[in-house]
């Protein structure tokens, strides 16, 4: 197949695919390779992988205390206590809370079901929340529209407002609480296979990302300078 005769530097229809600018990729084609290939045929560069934002346990408590509305606070506390995605938290039904077996039944991505542990602290807080606010069935966190769960964007806004009120500089999102759940469990000694099942990851490599942000392991590792024992005087 012969190569097209023009190089179109349009990125329409492919937003957010890469941080590589269309002009740079077009220049690489026409100048470096001496080819007039269209932009659509040029490969995109890989996005750099960034470590997830993780709060300390003290910061998590400060954050949750700053959430104004009880339903929002309980939804965010549930996200941290169970490691659920925000899309999973908002769709938790009252019947999904199995207090007899201390489990929460979750319907995750692709309608894949899994179970996670039910914190005794969370259970006590949820019972108080239900007794005082009496959310109508079936949703644990009902929305404004009757018969509908709370919208995930509502939880995201509450999260943003609480971060500001708590004076936290880190970018706290509902998904960051999921990162905190995973990292804090690993630091407490939970094995990575168990964590994979709790998070609902299909690939172990996805869960392995959290091994890079374990504070306990990082701080327990000595710097090579500590092995030398001193810094030469100036």
């Amino acid at each position: 197949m012969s190569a097209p005769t023009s190089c179109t530097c349009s990125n329409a229809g492919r937003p957010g695919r890469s941080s590589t600018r269309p002009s740079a990729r077009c220049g690489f084609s026409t100048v470096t390779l001496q080819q007039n290939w269209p932009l659509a045929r040029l490969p995109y560069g890989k996005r750099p992988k960034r470590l997830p934002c993780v709060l300390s346990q003290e910061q998590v408590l400060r954050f949750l205390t700053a959430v104004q509305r009880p339903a929002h606070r309980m939804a965010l506390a549930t996200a941290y206590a169970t490691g659920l995605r925000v899309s999973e938290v908002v769709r938790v039904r009252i019947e999904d809370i199995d207090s007899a077996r201390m489990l929460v039944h979750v319907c995750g991505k692709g309608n894949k079901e899994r179970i996670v542990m039910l914190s005794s602290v969370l259970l006590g807080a949820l019972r108080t929340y239900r007794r005082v606010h009496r959310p109508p069935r079936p949703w644990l966190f009902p929305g404004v529209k009757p018969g509908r769960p709370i919208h995930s964007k509502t939880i995201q806004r509450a999260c943003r407002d609480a971060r500001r009120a708590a004076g936290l500089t880190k970018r706290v999102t509902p998904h960051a609480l999921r990162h905190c759940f995973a990292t804090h469990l690993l630091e407490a000694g939970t094995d990575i296979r168990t964590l994979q099942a709790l998070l609902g990851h299909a690939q172990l490599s996805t869960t392995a990302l959290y091994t890079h942000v374990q504070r306990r392991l990082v701080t327990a590792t000595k710097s090579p300078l500590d092995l030398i024992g001193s810094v030469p005087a100036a």
Side-chain angles (χ1 to χ4, degrees):
M1 182 182 293
S2 60
T5 58
S6 62
C7 181
T8 305
C9 289
S10 170
N11 201 28
R14 302 181 73 173
R17 290 285 301 276
S18 171
S19 59
T20 306
R21 293 183 179 180
S23 58
R25 293 166 59 229
C26 184
F28 177 75
S29 169
T30 57
V31 178
T32 307
L33 299 181
Q34 299 292 312
Q35 296 287 341
N36 291 324
W37 290 338
L39 191 64
R41 291 184 58 186
L42 298 179
Y44 279 77
K46 291 184 178 180
R47 288 182 175 178
K49 291 185 178 181
R50 297 180 179 178
L51 294 179
C53 170
V54 177
L55 305 177
S56 68
Q57 291 171 315
E58 294 78 9
Q59 287 175 324
V60 171
L61 179 59
R62 198 167 96 203
F63 165 78
L64 293 176
T65 304
V67 181
Q68 294 297 312
R69 297 193 175 185
H72 299 168
R73 186 183 308 114
M74 290 312 308
L76 289 168
T78 300
Y80 173 65
T82 60
L84 302 188
R85 303 174 179 91
V86 64
S87 59
E88 296 168 343
V89 170
V90 298
R91 298 190 67 83
V92 173
R93 298 171 182 265
I94 294 175
E95 63 186 22
D96 293 333
I97 306 298
D98 187 347
S99 58
R101 300 174 61 204
M102 296 301 289
L103 298 173
V104 180
H105 296 264
V106 185
C107 183
K109 283 185 175 181
N111 291 326
K112 293 182 180 179
E113 295 185 358
R114 71 180 190 278
I115 55 174
V116 298
M117 69 288 214
L118 174 60
S119 158
S120 58
V121 174
L122 178 66
L123 177 60
L126 286 175
R127 282 173 170 168
T128 301
Y129 160 74
R130 286 197 60 202
R131 184 173 65 252
V132 174
H133 300 281
R134 298 187 179 279
R137 290 179 178 274
W139 307 109
L140 185 59
F141 307 113
V144 176
K145 295 182 179 180
R148 299 288 297 173
I150 193 170
H151 201 285
S152 58
K153 288 185 177 180
T154 303
I155 301 301
Q156 290 166 349
R157 284 194 298 268
C159 194
R160 184 175 61 249
D161 293 342
R163 178 190 65 82
R164 292 171 180 167
L168 297 173
T169 56
K170 291 182 179 180
R171 184 175 178 268
V172 186
T173 64
H175 208 72
L177 295 177
R178 177 173 162 89
H179 295 325
C180 294
F181 166 87
T183 304
H184 294 168
L185 280 184
L186 279 177
E187 291 180 346
T190 303
D191 69 89
I192 196 167
R193 285 290 185 182
T194 300
L195 186 61
Q196 179 188 8
L198 291 172
L199 293 173
H201 287 161
Q203 301 295 328
L204 184 62
S205 58
T206 307
T207 316
L209 173 66
Y210 296 107
T211 61
H212 298 292
V213 291
Q214 293 184 68
R215 178 174 53 89
R216 179 176 59 84
L217 296 181
V218 172
T219 55
T221 304
K222 286 187 176 296
S223 165
L225 184 60
D226 292 332
L227 302 178
I228 294 176
S230 64
V231 176

